């Protein structure tokens, strides 16, 4: 809960409690209490904005007004039965007023640990060479929204970047997958990240290495902000891709929205085939990054991108895409797959042959008929030096921001911030070693010792 939300609840419920239990309620008391109650409400709405989870708390001045209108200007006998009933009702009301905003918080992200401030900017890229397979018009080209996070010199004149620029559309796209009404996620529009929009790039280093991020099916480009910001603060340019029509919602600059449509990818062969689209997306983005390095309109990235040091990570289907790109594209030096079945072309029995880390959830949601094939694919990918780890008390979405959005989404026994710390520290050590080419494998071994409950293994 935010500062003024807490202040609103504390002040107004103290006033309400005093009104209910004091033996003498005078007009003078209400002349002070009512203006204070309404002033705190107005300040909260102006300073932090409305959200529906605060409706019970917003009603507290109205209830206080009703107490004024209904009270009699005489001493209240205050029998123990009356006090008990009032106490119970006030406790129930306070519980609801606190529970709703607490269960759906708007303060999600801790400050990154790296030495750099984080900047971010958004691009709309059109691939003129490819048709849009989801469009009815064959003349339509493949369009992607790509958000880049990078080490910034300072926050510049930019504001803090909102978590979602198009909350309504993304919430609508997630509605079916999460089985919750879209309006319950409306508060995500109030969430701010630690990144500053269009901030100046840091001059600390001449060039910075690149990491690409690919979300899962029906995910979205910002779904791993906890990880993306941390890596950017540690000196990486992180490129997050919205895979249009496979993301929950992709909103283009002219207001068009591409909602999730891949509802027919129900079996392994279909998902193996479909991943080609995502690989083509990533290859196109890599080409665009090279163009940015040669000449950026804003001159932000011109000559600042080290295209010889590129890694990739992804969640679920995006993790499978990262593994496939590691195999097929020489520009990708190392990759992390976060709980993604290895869809796509079959990997050789000898392994990928390049640095690869497979992070897995303890509680898998894969069906029994797919589990054997998945294990065989994992075995091939991890052969010849591939690395794996399993994080306890996690499920498939533990590797995203989703479990920060509400305690109701978490796995039993899970502390999402602790899980995210493990993910971030292993990801950073892995990419520092194989993309930045700094340090040594002892850093990963130290992490394995630091977190003995994590089953880290080099195959």
């Amino acid at each position: 809960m935010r500062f003024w939300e807490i202040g609103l609840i504390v002040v107004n419920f103290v006033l309400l409690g005093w009104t209910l239990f004091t033996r003498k309620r005078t007009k003078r008391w209400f002349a002070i209490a009512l203006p204070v109650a309404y002033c705190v409400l107005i300040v909260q709405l102006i300073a932090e904005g409305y959200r529906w989870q605060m409706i019970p708390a917003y009603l507290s001045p109205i209830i206080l007004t009703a107490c004024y209108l209904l009270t009699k200007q005489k001493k209240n006998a205050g029998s123990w039965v009356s006090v008990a009933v009032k106490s119970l009702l006030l406790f129930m009301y306070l519980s609801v007023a606190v529970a709703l905003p607490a269960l759906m918080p708007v303060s999600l992200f801790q400050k990154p640990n790296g030495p750099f401030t984080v900047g971010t900017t958004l691009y709309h890229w059109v691939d003129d060479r490819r048709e849009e397979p989801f469009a009815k018009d064959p003349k339509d080209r493949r369009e992607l929204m790509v958000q880049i996070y990078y080490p910034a010199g300072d926050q510049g004149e930019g504001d803090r970047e909102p978590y979602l620029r198009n909350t309504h559309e993304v919430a609508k796209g997630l509605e079916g997958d999460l089985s919750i009404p879209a309006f319950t996620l409306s508060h995500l529009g109030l969430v701010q990240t630690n990144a500053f929009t269009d901030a100046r790039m840091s001059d600390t280093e001449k060039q910075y290495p690149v990491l690409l991020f690919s979300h899962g099916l029906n995910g979205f480009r910002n779904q791993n902000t906890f990880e993306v910001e941390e890596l950017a603060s540690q000196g990486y340019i992180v490129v997050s891709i919205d895979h249009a029509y496979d993301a929950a919602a992709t909103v283009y600059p002219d207001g068009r929205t591409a909602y999730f449509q891949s509802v027919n990818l129900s079996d392994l062969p279909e998902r193996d085939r479909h991943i080609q689209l995502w690989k083509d997306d990533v290859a196109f983005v890599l080409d665009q990054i090279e163009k940015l390095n040669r000449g950026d309109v804003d001159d932000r990235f011109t000559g600042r991108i080290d295209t010889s040091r590129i890694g990739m990570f992804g969640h679920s289907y995006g993790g499978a895409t990262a593994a496939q790109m590691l195999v097929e594209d020489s520009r990708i030096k190392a990759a992390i797959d976060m709980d993604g079945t290895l869809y796509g072309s079959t990997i050789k029995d000898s392994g990928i042959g390049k640095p690869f880390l497979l992070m897995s959830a303890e509680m898998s949601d894969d069906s029994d008929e797919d589990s054997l094939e998945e294990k065989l694919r994992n075995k091939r990918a991890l052969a010849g030096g591939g690395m794996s780890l399993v994080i306890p008390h996690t499920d498939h979405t533990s590797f995203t921001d989703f479990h920060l959005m509400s305690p109701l989404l978490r796995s039993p026994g899970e502390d999402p911030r602790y899980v995210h710390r493990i993910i971030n520290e292993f990801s950073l050590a892995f990419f520092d070693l194989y993309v930045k080419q700094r340090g040594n494998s002892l850093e990963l071994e130290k992490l394995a010792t630091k977190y003995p409950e994590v089953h880290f293994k080099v195959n």
Side-chain angles (χ1 to χ4, degrees):
M1 294 174 64
R2 296 172 293 179
F3 176 80
W4 283 108
E5 289 178 347
I6 295 172
L8 170 63
I9 290 174
V10 171
V11 171
N12 284 6
F13 276 85
V14 167
L15 293 175
L16 189 57
W18 186 271
T19 301
L20 290 174
F21 297 112
T22 187
R23 286 184 172 273
K24 192 173 183 180
R25 292 166 288 187
T26 64
K27 288 185 177 181
R28 185 177 179 182
W29 158 252
F30 282 109
I32 297 172
L34 289 176
V36 169
Y38 281 102
C39 283
V40 174
L41 171 60
I42 292 169
V43 169
Q44 190 280 320
L45 290 172
I46 292 174
E48 298 173 335
Y50 162 87
R51 63 174 176 133
W52 70 266
Q53 292 88 351
M54 287 291 293
I55 288 177
Y58 294 154
L59 293 175
S60 56
I62 299 174
I63 294 174
L64 196 61
T65 303
C67 291
Y68 166 68
L69 295 174
L70 296 175
T71 192
K72 295 180 180 180
Q73 303 303 312
K74 63 180 183 179
K75 288 187 177 182
N76 188 347
S79 69
W80 72 268
V81 175
S82 174
V83 171
V85 171
K86 290 177 181 178
S87 298
L88 178 61
L89 291 175
L90 184 63
F91 175 76
M92 293 172 61
Y93 180 30
L94 178 61
S95 298
V96 173
V98 172
L100 282 177
L103 289 173
M104 297 181 185
V106 295
S107 299
L108 302 188
F109 303 110
Q110 295 179 328
K111 187 177 179 180
N113 295 303
F116 294 100
T117 301
V118 179
T120 186
T121 191
L122 185 63
Y123 288 92
H124 172 223
W125 287 335
V126 181
D127 189 348
D128 294 324
R129 300 170 300 177
R130 290 192 293 155
E131 295 181 5
E132 176 50 72
F134 292 96
K136 295 180 180 179
D137 189 344
K139 294 181 181 179
D140 287 347
R141 301 292 95 181
R142 182 71 169 164
E143 299 179 60
L144 300 176
M145 297 303 298
V146 176
Q147 190 153 358
I148 300 181
Y149 298 80
Y150 53 89
D154 52 49
Q155 67 187 58
E157 298 179 357
D159 296 324
R160 289 265 294 275
E161 176 76 5
Y163 180 48
L164 298 176
R165 295 192 180 196
N166 305 98
T167 307
H168 174 75
E169 289 81 3
V170 174
K172 183 179 177 182
L174 291 172
E175 186 174 34
D177 196 46
L178 295 179
S179 300
I180 55 176
F183 82 89
T184 61
L185 299 175
S186 61
H187 66 290
L188 295 180
L190 299 173
V191 176
Q192 288 188 321
T193 68
N194 294 290
F196 292 90
T197 307
D198 297 330
R200 179 179 62 84
M201 195 163 185
S202 172
D203 294 324
T204 302
E205 296 181 24
K206 184 178 180 181
Q207 290 187 317
Y208 295 93
V210 180
L211 300 175
L212 282 76
F213 172 72
S214 190
H215 58 76
L217 281 170
N218 206 31
F220 52 98
R221 66 176 184 268
N222 314 99
Q223 69 166 53
N224 278 57
T225 294
F226 81 90
E227 184 177 18
V228 166
E229 288 189 336
E230 177 63 23
L231 291 168
S233 79
Q234 299 286 354
Y236 289 93
I237 296 172
V238 186
V239 183
S240 296
I241 307 167
D242 255 346
H243 296 279
Y245 297 101
D246 285 326
T250 301
V251 181
Y252 298 115
D254 61 4
R256 290 175 297 124
T257 301
Y259 285 108
F260 178 74
Q261 291 190 19
S262 292
V263 294
N264 61 337
L265 302 180
S266 57
D267 55 30
L268 281 170
E270 282 295 325
R271 296 192 178 204
D272 284 343
R273 177 195 59 78
H274 186 73
I275 206 168
Q276 184 63 48
L277 177 66
W278 288 43
K279 291 191 294 183
D280 291 341
D281 285 348
V282 176
F284 168 65
V285 169
L286 284 168
D287 294 340
Q288 293 298 109
I289 291 170
E290 292 173 346
K291 289 182 181 179
L292 273 184
N293 195 42
R294 291 194 295 268
D296 180 11
V297 174
D298 298 324
D299 205 34
R300 180 177 290 109
F301 297 110
T302 304
R304 308 302 308 280
I305 303 173
D306 189 344
T307 55
S308 68
R309 296 187 294 170
I310 301 178
M312 185 172 176
F313 63 109
H315 171 248
S316 192
Y317 206 66
T321 304
Q324 289 293 319
M325 291 302 296
L326 183 64
V327 173
E328 299 178 17
D329 197 310
S330 60
R331 291 174 289 185
I332 305 295
K333 308 303 181 185
I336 297 176
D337 176 354
M338 292 181 286
D339 208 43
T341 299
L342 293 166
Y343 300 110
S345 59
T346 302
I347 296 171
K348 296 178 181 179
D349 290 339
S350 58
I352 293 177
K354 294 162 76 175
F356 176 65
L357 172 58
L358 177 62
M359 296 182 177
S360 300
E362 185 177 57
M363 291 165 271
S364 174
D365 59 0
D366 295 302
S367 59
D368 292 338
E369 55 266 29
D370 291 343
S371 60
L372 179 58
E373 175 64 21
E374 177 189 354
K375 290 177 181 178
L376 291 173
R377 293 182 180 207
N378 288 353
K379 184 177 179 179
R380 285 192 292 267
L382 295 172
M387 292 170 246
S388 62
L389 64 84
V390 179
I391 304 178
H393 308 297
T394 55
D395 62 26
H396 190 56
T397 52
S398 298
F399 294 85
T400 71
D401 300 332
F402 289 127
H403 291 194
L404 295 175
M405 296 176 187
S406 174
L408 300 176
L409 298 175
R410 298 170 189 172
S411 299
E414 179 189 10
D415 177 354
R417 297 202 185 279
Y418 183 73
V419 170
H420 289 171
R421 185 159 67 248
I422 292 172
I423 293 170
N424 283 345
E425 290 187 22
F426 272 97
S427 297
L428 181 62
F430 177 82
F431 285 130
D432 278 354
L433 178 59
Y434 295 112
V435 175
K436 280 189 177 180
Q437 299 176 352
R438 296 178 183 174
N440 54 59
S441 58
L442 289 177
E443 296 302 319
L444 288 167
E445 294 176 14
K446 288 179 182 177
L447 288 176
T449 302
K450 179 179 179 180
Y451 301 107
E453 71 276 20
V454 174
H455 306 292
F456 177 72
K457 181 180 179 182
V458 180
N459 296 273

